[in-house]
Structure formats: structure tokens, C-alpha cells
């Protein structure tokens, strides 16, 4: 594999590290924040979900700067948003300031889920696209693990431990922003949006240094032609794009209705429901991060071998089994098996939806509409994540935990049916050919 492409993909994917860290770091601080400011369950849910509401807005806006100013400039601004969010959260003196800072960080998360996978998919060769675009997900789970470890290490340093938990994200935010200066612009953006053929050819040649000039010229011609055809064929919300639109919405919908974000955000609280002490629950949360990391490696190793559809099958079966067992354990008070089943759930997610979602959404839309398609998938993902995180504390307060996990298991049965009946395989298919596979001419 071209070393340049790996470095560019890794740099872009570091936005995922900040995403993962920022998303989960709040789990170590949420109970302290609730008691510090005397938050009601409703207000506590809003404060916990505030970053996610910023993420919803960021996912809606992310496609616009990516198309207008380019993928590189947008990736750089993501780092700045993360930095402001981390520092502001750590220094907040009331819940209003805290929510505002978390919203700013959430904007960075939302935009990153649109732009980072899209940028990687546009520079990656077809045979390596799954693994390279999947690095975004790997960095998410690595960030999650680091957040859990960081929370455990900082938990005993005093009353302001929660501020340090939230503030340390400033350091990787600065490093990421610096690395972004060394990225080239996406050749597909240069050719289809900016009309810079010379610039696009240069980047394509860097991506394929051994390819003859005639082959690079032909690839550029195909990108330009298909982009021109897409301009002439209309807007995003058309029957022509109904298949990728529906696929993007449903993969994001099912991702969140597995309960993944609720479990990541409230892991210590869920473990405490089983009778574990607070410290033991926090340490069990590190196990979630390790399991996520290990099985994400497995998912990325398999994604270009078995394909996206097969991994979604594997993940769906794992979801149904593990969530069903968690529900049974809460109904029968066999609490000792809950941590193991939660780890199995995380493994199923990492191999299935976790490895596939951002790769799949970045592949299924044509060049001209990729930013809009990525925006749609990200928005759907984050609006359900925000709603689930807001209402989860109330759900476990009103309903026995067994019913909540039964609901999640039932949604994964529906996902399995969806994968069987609707999901195509995109493994190893060049981006410009996937639109033909989906019936987009």
C-alpha cells in the first residue's frame, strides 16, 4: 500500500480518535456533574446529550463546507472545534456554560463523521478502501478506550477530577490540527467541485505513483464525466437516489437502536445496576474499551475479505444473542453474567455495524452527492443517538432494565431482516461503479 495514502488516511481518521474520546469521556464525569449542579433527571439527560445535539447540527452542516471550501480545510476546522469544546467543558462554572461547550465539541464530532470517511474514501484505492476508511472507526474505539482509561486514572485526584477528564482532549486536538496542514486536497473534490484538473491530476498521480499518465488522465476524465452527468440529472432528493438514501438512513437508524451509545455513555451506571461498586463499575468500563478495540481490529481485517454485508450478518446475530441474554439476566437477577454479555455485545458491534457504517455510507453515493449523502447518514445516526441518550436515564428509571434491553434486541432482529433483503455488497468495487450497481445512471 502507498505509504502516503496510509499517512493521509490515518491523519484524517484521527478526527475519529477525538470523536471517540469526547463522546465517552463524559461517562466518568456524569454523576459528579449531576450532584455538583443539583440537576434533575430531565436536566441531567439534556446536559449528557448536549454534545450529541451539537453533533446533529454538525452532521447537517458538514457537507456544506466540505463542498464549498474543500475536504482539507474542513478537517482542519474540526480540530479547532474539538479544542474549544474540551477547554470550555473543563472550565465551565455552571450547567449552561457546560452545555454550550459540549455543543461546540459536538459540532466537531458531527462534521468529522461527514468529512473524514468521505475524504478517505475519495483518496483510497478500491482494494484497500474498506480498511483505510475503517481506520476512522478504529480511531473512534481507540479514543473510547483512552477515555475510559483516562477517567479511571484521573478519578482519584480530587474534587476537580471531572474537569481534568474533560480537558485533556485539548492536547490531541492541537496535534490533529497541525497534522491536517500536511494533507492534500481530495482529487475528486478538485475535479468535480473546484474544476481544478491540474491539481486533481497531481493528487491522483501521488495516490498511484506507478500508474502511467494516460491511465491517470482516463480516471480524471471518468470522474469529471460522471460528475457532469450528475449535475444534469438533478438534485439530491430524487427517485434516482432512492436506494442509497434509504440505505444510509437505515444503517444509521439501526446502529443507534442497538443501544450502543446508551451503553457507552452510561456503562458505569449499568454495571452499578448489577451490584458492582462505583470503582469496580468504572474499571469494568475499561473492559468495554479493550473489547471494542480488539474486535475493531478483527472487523477491519475482515471488511475487505468477507465484505460489508457479511459483517453486518455476523454483527446482527451477535447483537440479538448478547442483548437477549442481558435482558434475561436482569429479569432473572443473574447479574453476574451481565458484564460478559455486555462485552459480547460490544464485540458484535465492533465487527459488524461499527466496522461497516462509516465505510458503507461513504461508498454508496455518487461523487457529486457524496457530501450530501454522508450528511444524511450522519444526521440520522446522531439524531437518534441524541434522543436515545436524552431518554435513556428516564427509560431505566421508569421501566425495568430487562424490558429496555429486550427492546434493543427486537430492533436488531429487524436489522437482520433488513440486511438479508436490502443491503448490497460494495467490497472491492470502484466508487464510480457502485452507482451502476445501485441502479444510479
Amino acid at each position: 500500500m502507498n505509504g502516503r495514502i496510509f499517512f493521509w488516511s490515518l491523519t484524517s481518521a484521527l478526527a475519529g480518535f477525538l470523536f471517540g474520546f469526547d463522546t465517552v469521556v463524559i461517562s466518568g464525569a456524569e454523576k459528579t456533574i449531576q450532584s455538583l449542579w443539583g440537576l434533575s433527571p430531565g436536566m441531567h439527560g439534556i446536559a449528557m446529550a448536549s454534545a450529541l445535539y451539537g453533533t446533529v447540527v454538525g452532521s447537517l452542516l458538514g457537507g456544506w463546507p466540505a463542498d464549498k471550501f474543500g475536504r482539507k480545510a474542513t478537517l482542519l476546522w474540526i480540530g479547532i472545534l474539538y479544542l474549544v469544546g474540551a477547554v470550555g467543558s473543563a472550565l465551565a462554572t455552571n450547567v449552561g456554560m457546560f452545555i454550550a461547550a459540549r455543543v461546540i465539541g459536538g459540532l466537531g464530532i458531527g462534521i468529522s463523521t461527514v468529512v473524514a470517511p468521505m475524504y478517505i474514501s475519495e483518496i483510497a484505492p478500491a482494494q484497500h478502501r474498506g480498511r483505510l476508511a475503517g481506520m476512522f472507526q478504529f480511531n473512534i474505539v481507540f479514543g473510547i478506550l483512552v477515555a475510559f482509561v483516562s477517567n479511571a486514572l484521573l478519578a482519584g485526584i480530587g474534587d476537580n477530577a471531572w474537569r481534568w477528564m474533560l480537558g485533556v482532549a485539548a492536547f490531541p486536538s492541537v496535534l490533529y490540527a497541525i497534522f491536517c496542514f500536511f494533507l492534500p486536497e481530495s482529487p475528486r473534490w478538485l475535479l468535480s467541485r473546484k474544476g481544478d484538473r491540474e491539481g486533481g491530476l497531481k493528487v491522483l498521480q501521488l495516490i498511484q505513483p506507478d500508474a502511467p499518465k494516460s491511465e491517470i488522465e482516463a480516471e480524471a476524465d471518468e470522474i469529471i464525466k460522471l460528475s457532469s452527468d450528475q449535475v444534469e440529472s438533478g438534485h439530491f432528493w430524487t427517485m434516482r437516489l432512492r436506494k442509497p438514501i434509504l440505505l444510509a438512513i437505515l444503517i444509521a437508524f439501526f446502529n443507534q437502536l442497538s443501544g450502543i451509545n446508551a451503553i457507552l455513555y452510561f456503562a458505569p451506571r449499568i454495571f452499578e445496576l448489577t451490584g458492582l461498586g462505583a470503582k469496580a463499575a468504572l474499571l469494568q468500563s475499561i473492559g468495554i474499551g479493550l473489547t471494542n478495540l480488539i474486535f475493531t481490529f478483527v472487523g477491519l481485517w475482515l471488511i475487505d475479505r468477507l465484505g460489508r454485508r457479511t459483517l453486518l450478518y455476523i454483527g446482527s446475530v451477535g447483537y440479538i444473542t448478547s442483548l437477549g441474554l442481558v435482558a434475561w439476566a436482569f429479569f432473572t437477577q443473574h447479574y453476574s453474567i451481565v458484564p460478559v454479555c455486555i462485552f459480547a455485545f460490544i464485540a458484535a458491534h465492533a465487527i459488524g455495524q461499527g466496522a461497516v457504517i462509516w465505510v458503507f455510507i461513504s461508498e454508496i453515493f455518487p461523487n457529486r452527492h457524496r457530501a450530501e449523502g454522508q450528511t444524511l447518514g450522519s444526521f440520522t445516526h446522531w439524531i437518534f443517538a441524541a434522543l436515545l441518550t436524552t431518554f435513556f436515564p428516564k427509560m431505566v428509571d421508569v421501566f425495568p432494565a430487562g424490558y429496555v434491553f429486550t427492546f434493543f434486541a427486537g430492533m436488531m432482529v429487524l436489522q437482520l431482516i433488513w440486511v438479508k433483503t436490502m443491503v448490497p455488497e460494495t467490497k472491492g468495487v470502484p466508487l464510480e461503479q457502485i452507482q451502476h450497481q445501485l441502479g444510479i445512471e
Side-chain angles (χ1 to χ4, degrees):
M1 186 188 300
N2 186 330
R4 288 194 191 100
I5 297 174
F6 180 81
F7 173 75
W8 299 336
S9 300
L10 179 61
T11 297
S12 179
L14 285 176
F17 174 87
L18 298 170
F19 161 8
F21 189 96
D22 188 80
T23 297
V24 171
V25 73
I26 191 68
S27 68
E30 57 104 358
K31 296 188 80 173
T32 303
I33 289 168
Q34 184 176 22
S35 61
L36 177 67
W37 291 320
L39 304 180
S40 67
M43 192 64 197
H44 181 51
I46 292 171
M48 283 292 291
S50 55
L52 290 172
Y53 288 110
T55 301
V56 170
V57 176
S59 67
L60 275 175
L61 299 177
W64 176 76
D67 274 346
K68 181 152 183 79
F69 304 111
R71 295 11 175 177
K72 177 181 177 177
T74 308
L75 288 169
L76 174 61
W77 275 98
I78 288 168
I80 295 170
L81 289 170
Y82 278 132
L83 176 62
V84 174
V87 174
S89 298
L91 298 178
T93 57
N94 57 61
V95 70
M97 288 178 62
F98 177 80
I99 288 172
R102 292 288 291 168
V103 167
I104 291 171
L107 287 172
I109 294 175
I111 297 171
S112 76
T113 58
V114 174
V115 184
M118 177 171 60
Y119 175 80
I120 298 171
S121 74
E122 290 183 343
I123 65 168
Q127 67 270 28
H128 300 304
R129 191 175 59 242
R131 275 171 285 177
L132 289 173
M135 286 169 60
F136 182 70
Q137 176 65 19
F138 167 79
N139 275 276
I140 292 172
V141 300
F142 185 51
I144 289 170
L145 174 60
V146 172
F148 280 136
V149 172
S150 175
N151 284 352
L153 292 174
L154 294 170
I157 67 171
D159 293 340
N160 288 320
W162 69 275
R163 296 187 184 276
W164 286 101
M165 289 178 183
L166 297 170
V168 293
F171 299 105
S173 299
V174 171
L175 283 176
Y176 164 74
I178 292 171
F179 288 162
C180 283
F181 282 106
F182 299 97
L183 294 175
E185 186 51 83
S186 160
R188 287 177 167 84
W189 182 80
L190 290 169
L191 291 166
S192 64
R193 284 286 179 176
K194 192 177 182 183
D196 183 359
R197 182 181 178 86
E198 183 179 351
L201 288 171
K202 285 181 180 178
V203 180
L204 286 173
Q205 193 70 68
L206 288 172
I207 293 170
Q208 305 172 73
D210 298 327
K213 187 176 180 180
S214 58
E215 185 178 319
I216 298 296
E217 293 273 2
E219 184 176 352
D221 290 340
E222 183 181 13
I223 292 169
I224 292 169
K225 180 183 182 304
L226 288 172
S227 297
S228 299
D229 291 345
Q230 289 152 21
V231 172
E232 294 171 4
S233 61
H235 300 290
F236 179 75
W237 292 101
T238 62
M239 286 298 291
R240 187 177 66 91
L241 294 178
R242 65 189 183 281
K243 286 185 179 178
I245 286 173
L246 189 57
L247 288 169
I249 290 173
L250 288 176
I251 195 171
F253 170 81
F254 284 123
N255 182 283
Q256 283 305 301
L257 268 293
S258 69
I260 182 63
N261 263 43
I263 289 171
L264 290 176
Y265 266 58
F266 296 99
R269 187 176 291 238
I270 291 169
F271 286 135
E272 284 186 46
L273 288 173
T274 70
L276 288 172
K279 184 67 175 178
L282 198 58
L283 291 173
Q284 290 278 14
S285 300
I286 297 176
I288 285 181
L290 279 170
T291 302
N292 208 354
L293 185 69
I294 291 167
F295 283 92
T296 295
F297 269 122
V298 176
L300 296 184
W301 186 76
L302 292 173
I303 193 168
D304 283 326
R305 290 174 170 83
L306 298 183
R308 290 54 158 157
R309 192 167 187 255
T310 302
L311 292 192
L312 288 174
Y313 269 127
I314 295 170
S316 297
V317 173
Y319 276 144
I320 295 164
T321 305
S322 57
L323 290 168
L325 285 172
V326 171
W328 174 82
F330 276 110
F331 282 131
T332 61
Q333 298 184 347
H334 286 78
Y335 298 131
S336 60
I337 73 165
V338 170
V340 174
C341 293
I342 292 291
F343 294 158
F345 165 82
I346 295 295
H349 174 79
I351 289 177
Q353 270 269 17
V356 172
I357 179 172
W358 304 116
V359 176
F360 187 74
I361 294 173
S362 71
E363 293 176 324
I364 57 177
F365 289 94
N367 290 326
R368 187 75 186 180
H369 299 293
R370 186 165 295 115
E372 295 163 289
Q374 196 80 27
T375 294
L376 173 65
S378 295
F379 171 75
T380 305
H381 175 279
W382 290 116
I383 192 67
F384 280 103
L387 292 171
L388 189 62
T389 305
T390 300
F391 293 110
F392 185 77
K394 192 69 174 176
M395 288 168 66
V396 294
D397 187 49
V398 173
F399 301 103
Y403 287 111
V404 176
F405 284 98
T406 298
F407 169 75
F408 292 146
M411 295 307 301
M412 292 303 93
V413 172
L414 294 181
Q415 174 176 276
L416 182 61
I417 296 170
W418 168 69
V419 174
K420 172 69 175 175
T421 57
M422 290 186 62
V423 175
E425 183 53 74
T426 57
K427 178 187 72 171
V429 184
L431 290 177
E432 282 70 35
Q433 292 182 22
I434 291 174
Q435 58 190 289
H436 297 300
Q437 184 176 309
L438 291 174
I440 306 167
E441 298 298 336

